[in-house]
């Protein structure tokens, strides 16, 4: 933990001024979601703040929606007709073009208009990132709260990703030595699978058929973020902490999640960094021995996008010559200019998908970097050095006729909203793609963003009876989790693709 | 519609002062539920009102709970041990005592302490009333919003009531000519099963085995109420309207729901009154012809309890000599003293289950009838003549160690809360029954009343993915309702017990 030790001890303690930002932002955030529940009454202050915030984001709050797609597209017939159509175009052979698709020319002439192959791959990786939310156990009454509900062999099958062409080989767990409010999902129960760790994502690898289609063996890492931005605005003000040997510095909250470990834990005897590096090394070496071309693609949403950049930085240091790309959604700034430049020098290619109306990609550094002075009383003094990495694909919620346009910071930040907008994106000055095929209903999984005409319930992604089932006596009980889905540090070490498992004694950048 | 025509026309119009009560009460109501959602902020005014209201109800808002049952009863072991126990004691033969159980001696010496047979029958009928909520389609995006999700042959099976010993023979639908805000559950869609009517309950009859156990053929009518009291506080100020030929008068909103019909509707060409009277007549005549002893037991919660009293009044007029009892939960006052006295003279026996902390049984007439002057500025002038009918079984939320005690007007009004407290009720001065068997988890179906130690999620009664399912393309769609569960006026006329169906040309009190 050399890097962490280099940080002055006060970085690990909450400082008083830190609390100014999150409280205010959270108030705006709460105000913004009002209207979904008629019983909620926003405070005047919160409403005013939300208004300022929306002005700052150039957000037009509209009550009626009339966009590029004709209103008649919403009639019952067309909605029901669409139900009988595929959700994707047929897969095409991209084996000759994968390097371009993964940014070897920095996506020049591929984003505006968006090349269909690039769009398709963005959605593919985005759905891996989405899987980390869909399978996460958020139930605070569950002893497995904070874990994945399925084991790695069942994950894709349970989420309808069994035709993705990838297999999961390892789950990643993370903890944090730094006290990050509302970061960790915790069970309310006393006896739980883990008191310190959360499931933070997975490593996977393309199967033979997909590898043939995409022109190489593709190792993926998908990082889970946090569901609502309010959960981690608190972390935004942390100081920069050095990474590596040079001038590169990154936000210390993100780094803590990526690098923390403790011997007394069950799932973080090794850090997330060590877990992922060990598994990537194993896979890279295995497939290189077979003479295959190997790539590493890292994806993540929100906090997951930040972790993905740290992951890419470390992987680039450890695997010179390995093509590494990062596909992030709604990710905040992570580090300083030196961090960015080192990533560039090492050849890491980053495509950063953002949404104009989403506040998270504007953080930290919203004040100076966005050149808006008006908010400095709210944001306080931030390190101005935070900077974004890579190429931006900027979406706009107003491009989709399916989406409500009212201020909804949760909805604007949701990965499903991003994936919908990518699916409909043609170019910066055109409307929503008429032949977009992705299932629109997915947008409302965890929010209320779809226009009423679509008749999709909001927040519909839920278990029957919150997981309670009637037993033979007629009592409603929470069934024990299937033993094979109970997280186990030992099980996590094995792989369904490669049965060989060794201790590589891998030395990561952050020490073992 | 003779009775309705006798009412001066202004009774059908909302009057200005009518609006004072509901708005204020609703504010208190909203304030009271705050704390369940950390995003909600109560207004000062609402909080103050809620406080006054809680004082008036002698409600002690407690943050820590320490009651008759020892805290250690909540440990994991005992909770999980209980999962393997039956939810009811074995059924006993009550055939010799059914008249007493149904109040022929006005429940003298049966309520304090509560006779186990009476307790058991109260819960039995209460679960029929609960079925009207559990099967109701509240989904405003459903074209069948406001109907029952299952047809009458499947209802009890789907709700786990297949061993109840009763069969449903007819569904009841109601509409209202009087504009009653928030009474009717309406679909947001254009094409719906009905624009005017809601499913309001059912008629059923005991099977041979149950009839033998309970000593007679028991016809039941179960009336649906409304889920949250806020939905119909608006109706509380309506003037009294004559019923029958004498001095008896009842609240005109309740009477409108019970008696309204219109030829252009599909489900209320006949009124709820006519539907239920016709079916009860059919069943009474059928079983009397077979020489059986027949009884009528009417049950309902909240608004359903009010409709039940109207139903009992009409049935008593039409079937002299038929033993009729009403078992109501959380029912408001319905009519004047003459109405009550007529019910008494006709021999209708009413057991009124109330909860000390529930505000609804105190309405209308909270000001004068409860002799609390402090609230008259809020309540305005009510007709003082509203009076309760029958014998009261008064529950107290503080008697149960399983329940949170904080102000929660929704939770206090829920039928499942009532059934839980009946199950644990021994006498007015004793604690919760140690051998109460009913499943405690049921309480939290639609509210957040159970203490956290029980680990039962709040508001857990929900469909998987709000009814959306993945089709073969992977799209999330709302499946068409099973045709046999689509409500049909024709189907409703038939019966699964008696196949003969005639038009009796039955003349109800309220005209045909």
């Amino acid at each position: 933990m050399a890097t962490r030790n280099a940080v002055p001890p006060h970085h690990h303690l909450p400082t008083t001024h830190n609390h100014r930002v999150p409280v205010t932002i959270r108030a705006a955030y709460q105000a913004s979601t009002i209207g979904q529940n008629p019983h909620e009454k926003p405070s005047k202050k919160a409403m005013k703040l939300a208004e300022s915030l929306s002005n700052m984001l150039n957000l037009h709050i509209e009550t009626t929606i009339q966009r590029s797609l004709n209103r008649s597209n919403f009639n019952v017939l067309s909605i029901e007709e669409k139900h009988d159509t595929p959700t994707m175009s047929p897969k095409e052979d991209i084996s000759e073009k994968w390097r371009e698709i993964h940014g070897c020319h920095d996506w020049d002439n591929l984003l505006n208009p968006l090349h269909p192959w690039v769009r398709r791959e963005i959605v593919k990786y985005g759905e891996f990132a989405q899987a980390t939310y869909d399978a996460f156990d958020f139930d605070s009454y569950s002893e497995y709260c904070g874990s994945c509900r399925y084991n790695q062999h069942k994950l894709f099958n349970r989420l309808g990703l069994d035709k993705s062409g990838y297999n999961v080989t390892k789950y990643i767990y993370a903890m944090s030595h730094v006290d990050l409010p509302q970061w960790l999902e915790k069970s309310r129960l006393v006896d739980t699978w883990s008191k310190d760790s959360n499931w933070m994502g997975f490593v996977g690898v393309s199967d033979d058929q997909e590898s043939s289609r995409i022109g190489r063996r593709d190792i993926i890492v998908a990082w889970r973020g946090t569901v609502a931005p309010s959960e981690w605005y608190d972390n935004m003000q942390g100081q920069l902490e050095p990474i590596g040997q040079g001038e590169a510095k990154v936000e210390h909250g993100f780094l803590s999640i990526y690098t923390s470990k403790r011997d007394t834990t069950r799932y973080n005897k090794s850090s997330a960094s060590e877990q992922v590096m060990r598994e990537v090394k194993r896979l890279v070496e295995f497939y290189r021995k077979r003479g295959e071309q190997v790539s590493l693609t890292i994806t993540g949403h929100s906090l997951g996008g930040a972790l993905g950049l740290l992951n890419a930085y470390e992987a680039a240091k450890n695997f010179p010559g390995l093509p590494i790309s990062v596909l992030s959604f709604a990710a905040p700034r992570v580090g300083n200019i030196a961090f960015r430049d080192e990533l560039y020098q090492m050849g890491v290619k980053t495509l950063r998908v953002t949404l104009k109306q989403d506040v998270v990609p504007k953080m930290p550094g919203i004040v100076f970097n966005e050149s808006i002075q008006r908010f400095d009383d709210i944001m306080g003094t931030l390190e101005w050095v935070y900077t974004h990495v890579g190429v931006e694909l900027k979406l706009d919620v107003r491009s989709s006729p399916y989406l409500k346009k009212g201020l909804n910071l949760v909805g604007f930040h949701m990965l499903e909203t991003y994936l919908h907008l990518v699916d409909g994106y043609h170019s910066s000055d055109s409307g929503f793609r008429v032949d977009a095929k992705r299932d629109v209903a997915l947008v409302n999984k965890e929010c209320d963003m779809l226009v009423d005409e679509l008749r999709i319930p909001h927040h519909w992604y839920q278990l029957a009876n919150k997981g309670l089932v009637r037993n033979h006596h007629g009592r409603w009980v929470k069934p024990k989790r299937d033993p094979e889905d109970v997280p186990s540090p030992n099980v996590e070490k094995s792989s369904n693709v490669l049965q060989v498992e060794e201790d590589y004694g891998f030395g990561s950048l952050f020490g073992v």
Side-chain angles (χ1 to χ4, degrees), chain A:
Chain A
M1 304 303 293
T3 310
R4 284 201 57 259
N5 291 342
V7 184
H10 71 267
H11 283 219
H12 299 269
L13 300 172
T15 55
T16 316
H17 74 277
N18 269 4
H19 291 280
R20 261 198 331 164
V21 176
V23 170
T24 327
I25 294 286
R26 198 177 290 151
Y29 178 75
Q30 284 164 15
S32 77
T33 59
I34 278 157
Q36 297 175 19
N37 182 342
H39 296 292
E40 287 176 6
K41 290 243 171 75
S43 75
K44 260 190 190 171
K45 195 178 158 192
M47 274 309 282
K48 210 169 163 183
L49 185 64
E51 205 177 297
S52 309
L53 200 57
S54 74
N55 289 338
M56 184 189 71
L57 301 175
N58 296 312
L59 187 77
H60 301 285
I61 302 182
E62 298 168 27
T63 47
T64 56
I65 311 117
Q66 188 64 42
R67 289 283 150 196
S68 49
L69 201 72
N70 193 294
R71 198 70 166 180
S72 67
N73 283 322
F74 287 129
N75 70 40
V76 184
L77 204 62
S78 72
I79 291 168
E80 297 196 343
E81 273 170 358
K82 195 148 194 175
H83 288 173
D84 265 334
T85 62
T87 57
M88 285 194 111
S89 316
K91 290 186 174 180
E92 291 180 76
D93 187 321
I94 61 169
S95 57
E96 300 296 317
K97 289 287 180 192
W98 74 267
R99 288 178 185 277
E100 286 84 347
I101 292 171
H102 281 255
C104 75
H105 299 133
D106 293 315
W107 290 277
D108 258 7
N109 298 318
L110 289 176
L111 300 183
N112 198 11
L114 183 61
H115 192 288
W117 293 1
V118 177
R119 182 191 301 117
R120 176 109 182 209
E121 293 298 294
I122 294 174
V123 171
K124 179 180 93 176
Y125 292 107
E127 288 184 341
F128 293 143
Q130 180 64 38
T132 64
Y133 293 120
D134 290 346
F136 191 73
D137 188 341
F138 288 100
D139 179 3
S140 61
Y141 286 110
S142 161
E143 64 192 290
Y144 302 112
C145 179
S147 75
C148 180
R149 289 194 270 133
Y150 318 110
N151 74 44
Q152 63 189 54
H153 309 292
K154 286 155 74 177
L155 178 72
F156 280 4
N157 176 274
R158 290 304 171 90
L159 300 181
L161 290 171
D162 34 0
K163 287 174 187 155
S164 66
Y166 284 73
N167 291 300
V168 177
T169 67
K170 188 159 174 46
Y171 277 176
I172 309 163
Y173 298 89
M175 62 175 290
S176 174
H177 285 301
V178 177
D179 182 32
L180 303 169
Q182 301 186 55
W183 166 69
L184 200 71
E185 293 289 335
K186 269 188 183 169
S187 174
R188 301 195 207 182
L189 309 187
V190 177
D191 295 318
T192 63
W193 70 288
S194 168
K195 303 216 186 306
D196 313 281
S197 305
N198 267 192
W199 180 61
M200 280 307 285
F202 58 86
V203 182
V205 66
S206 55
D207 61 22
D208 293 348
Q209 191 184 346
E210 177 73 356
S211 299
S212 163
R213 183 184 80 85
I214 63 179
R216 85 288 186 191
R217 186 71 61 172
D218 186 32
I219 300 165
I220 50 163
V221 184
W223 291 95
R224 190 173 60 81
T226 43
V227 171
S230 67
E231 289 179 25
W232 55 287
Y233 281 145
D234 287 331
N235 312 338
M236 284 301 163
Q237 194 120 299
Q239 287 85 350
L240 288 167
E241 189 164 341
I243 186 173
Q245 311 305 319
E247 293 299 310
K249 291 181 182 183
V250 295
E251 205 276 327
H252 84 310
F254 301 146
L255 192 61
S256 177
I257 294 172
Y258 188 63
T259 61
S260 292
K261 61 178 178 176
R262 187 159 55 222
D263 274 346
T264 53
T265 64
R266 287 193 72 204
Y267 295 86
N268 280 110
K269 293 188 196 304
S270 59
S271 65
S273 147
E274 291 164 5
Q275 293 168 36
V276 70
M277 280 298 118
R278 191 185 298 128
E279 180 68 4
V280 170
K281 181 173 172 24
R282 189 173 73 86
L283 293 171
V284 167
E285 291 181 351
F286 181 89
Y287 288 107
R288 278 185 171 169
K289 269 183 201 160
R290 288 172 40 166
E292 297 190 28
Q293 170 68 51
V294 182
S295 70
L296 174 62
T297 310
I298 300 168
T299 188
H301 166 255
S302 194
L303 167 64
L307 297 175
L309 264 195
L310 299 179
N311 184 186
Y313 179 89
E314 191 180 17
K317 290 272 185 197
N318 277 286
F319 308 109
L322 179 70
I324 300 174
S325 53
V326 177
L327 191 49
S328 75
F329 302 85
R333 294 177 179 88
V334 175
N336 63 3
I337 292 170
F339 174 67
R340 180 195 70 187
D341 290 346
E342 264 200 80
L343 282 167
Y344 288 171
Q345 283 153 23
M346 296 188 291
V348 171
K349 298 299 180 181
T350 299
L351 181 60
R352 208 162 48 80
V353 186
T354 66
L355 176 59
K356 191 177 177 183
Q357 290 81 6
D358 184 8
V359 70
V360 176
K362 300 177 201 296
M363 308 187 94
I366 194 168
V367 186
F368 293 91
N369 288 319
E370 306 291 328
S371 303
I372 295 165
Q373 301 300 329
R374 173 159 42 130
F375 255 58
D376 54 6
D377 57 325
I378 291 167
M379 301 302 297
T381 25
L382 280 178
E383 303 257 6
W384 62 271
V385 288
Y386 282 102
T387 188
H388 272 306
V389 173
V391 175
E392 182 178 21
L393 174 64
K394 194 170 188 173
L395 309 169
D396 189 330
V397 75
R398 294 171 300 181
S399 71
S400 168
Y402 300 98
L403 301 183
K404 289 177 182 165
K405 306 302 182 294
L407 181 60
N408 181 343
L409 291 189
V410 174
F412 294 163
H413 184 59
M414 284 285 167
L415 178 52
E416 286 288 5
T417 305
Y418 275 70
L419 297 179
H420 166 74
L421 289 166
V422 170
D423 187 47
Y425 188 85
H426 176 66
S427 68
S428 59
D429 56 1
S430 68
F432 204 78
R433 261 196 335 138
V434 178
D435 54 343
K437 290 188 172 58
R438 197 163 185 276
D439 186 10
V440 170
L442 295 168
V443 172
N444 263 9
K445 262 185 194 168
E446 303 277 7
C447 63
D448 186 8
M449 278 296 286
L450 292 173
V451 295
D452 285 346
E453 287 86 342
L454 292 167
R455 304 181 186 176
I456 304 298
H458 55 87
H459 300 86
W460 60 261
Y461 192 71
Q462 60 182 29
L463 295 176
N465 300 318
K466 295 195 175 176
L468 298 182
V469 295
R470 288 195 101 185
N471 71 13
H472 61 289
H473 288 297
R475 289 190 187 278
W476 289 93
V477 298
K478 189 162 287 187
K480 291 267 176 208
R481 190 184 276 197
D482 189 335
E484 70 174 38
D485 290 326
V486 172
S488 151
N490 298 321
V491 169
E492 303 312 332
K493 278 191 175 173
S494 81
S495 148
N496 63 342
V497 172
L498 310 166
Q499 293 307 321
V500 192
E501 172 76 8
E502 300 171 33
D503 186 349
Y504 291 88
F506 181 80
S508 88
L509 276 187
F510 311 105
V512 178

